[in-house]
Amino acid sequence: MRTVALSVSLPSGYTALWSPEHVASGGLTEVAGLVRELQAGPVPVRWVVWSAGDLRPLVEAGVRFERLWDCAEAHRLREGSWRAGPQEVWCAVHDLDPEGAPAGPRDDLFDFGERDDTPAAPESLTTPGGYLRADAVAGRWQEAVLPHDPTRLVQWARAAFDVGARQQEALATRGPTELATAFSESAASLLCVELERFGLPIDRATMSDLITTSAGPRPASLQAELEHRAARDATVLRLVPGQERTDLRNPAQVRELLLAAGIDVPNTRKWTLEAFRDTHPVVPALLAWRADERIATTYGWRWLDAHVGADDRLRGRWSACDGAAGRMTAENGLHNLPAALRPGVAAAPGHRFVRADLGQIEPRVLAAVSGDEAFMAATRAQDLYAPVAERLGVERSVAKVAVLAAMYGQRSGTAGEALAGLRRAYPIAMRLLEETAERGSRGESVTTFGGRAVHTAPRAERGMQAPPPVAAARGRFARNAIIQGSAAELFKAWAATIRATTADLGAEIVLCLHDEVLVHVPEEAAQECAQRVDQALHDAARRWLALRGRDEGVRFVADVSVIGRWSEAKG
DNA sequence: CGGTGAACGTA
DNA sequence: CGTACGTTCACCGA
């Protein structure tokens, strides 16, 4: 394996490559050719970058990177910290206090503390205190002398190379698990850049019809928009005479309206109102109004115009790792598009979607994380809850509720009896959950299967995840984080494997949704792609489980189908 | 004008 | 009934 660092400067797009054997620089097209040439060579290449997002201009230009080391993601994994700019990452590998770093142009206007601001020399990347100079972190220092002098950008790439090498060394001393997870997280980070480039295919005509149904036709004027809004409000307001002036967008006023209809509720949340669906016609009308209002305001015409491009692709920013346990996140509705709009997500002409989701991922992950032999045995069934129900001597539905209650720290409900049964049948898995919750309650950090540190209490650094304030909530947070976070790791390993093994089919991963993936592929390759998606799960799961010697014990299953619209997925 | 909480969509 | 996220809205206080 050959390691090459790569840095792109903006706005010029000038790019530098650095490795011990090879230094190069050039414009985007020139470097794009160089990257392809190196990747086509006999020795596989791993590209080292400060952050995969740096590659955006090259990815936009159609360059496909095969293997990556993303210093920011490696840092997040090591530190459990979300802030992972070059300075934070640099400080971590050099044992420097980030608080002493030179201030960027907009940082800390009122900070008059001791700071190490002046670079050692005009051409020095670092300050006498060993920090990165602030104008280099901002990219201005490198860009200022381009294109005639690429040496600063080369220095910047070389610094990333050095940081990446130090991170790999540090992670390797902790064992193979963390290193493998860092590779996988790097791949996910690169995948995010491609998700941003590809976008999610939209059938504009169908989506427009769906929006019309909920929000009304595209308004010709502001007045028309207001009129339609008033008409929508009237469908609810006319059901409670005397309350026509209620602002339906104000929960306090809605509560008054409901009171006038004889319904006294502590809040107006959907879950609370569901119980009163049959009490008064205003309740179902209000719930239907809310669903339409959601689409009208968040997923309406403005959303369509702002985020669906001329090529009929919905685009938003993707993040490989959220602030808590490490799931992927996305903006502009890519992760919370109402199910009612899913018919509007459709493969382009001549293409199909391969849709796949992981079945019962969380209990299967619990088996892997805990290493409970009995619970691992249950994962070998296609339906995990069947053997659990048999062992507990209860109905499947009871077993399912009990397992979910145990994993999420549920307090209410009637899972008590079955929970006791679970403790007897699967003591190791259940003890792991309880000990994790206790650690969380005490404000201690917990660790995912792949070695990500998850902090349950605030630390000195700024920009950290905001953990729940009370002990019980911290306990539930920790209990959930090891499951959710570990599941996210398996998912990302799976997605990265799909990306690597279906590229030759012309496949593009266009959506990742925690346990579900949508692959856009030319029609003639769809069946082959579906088979490879399934195979990718088995390969990724085996490698992932082997990190902790569980490769023969836990089974993961995927439901894979070839569809034309997202809504065709099984319910 | 910026921050906060309610509400609700997804998993 | 548990957790996480992103988005919009009204309200609050400066």
Side-chain angles (χ1 to χ4, degrees), chain A residues 379-391:
Chain A
T379 68
R380 276 160 232 153
Q382 182 76 25
D383 174 19
L384 172 144
Y385 298 116
V388 172
E390 193 178 343
R391 178 131 182 190

Side-chain angles (χ1 to χ4, degrees), chain A residues 24 54 57 62 75 154 172 205 216 222 353 383 386 476 492 523:
Chain A
D54 300 348
H75 175 80
V154 169
L222 181 63
F353 285 136
D383 174 19
R476 287 194 301 273
K492 286 184 239 186
E523 199 162 15

Side-chain angles (χ1 to χ4, degrees), chain A residues 407-430:
Chain A
M407 280 192 302
Y408 301 149
Q410 184 182 316
R411 301 166 61 84
S412 60
T414 52
E417 186 71 17
L419 261 174
L422 277 180
R423 252 186 233 112
R424 282 192 297 273
Y426 309 109
I428 295 173
M430 295 304 124

Side-chain angles (χ1 to χ4, degrees), chain A residues 86 227 252 266 300 350 373 413 486:
Chain A
E227 276 168 14
E373 288 291 345
S486 302

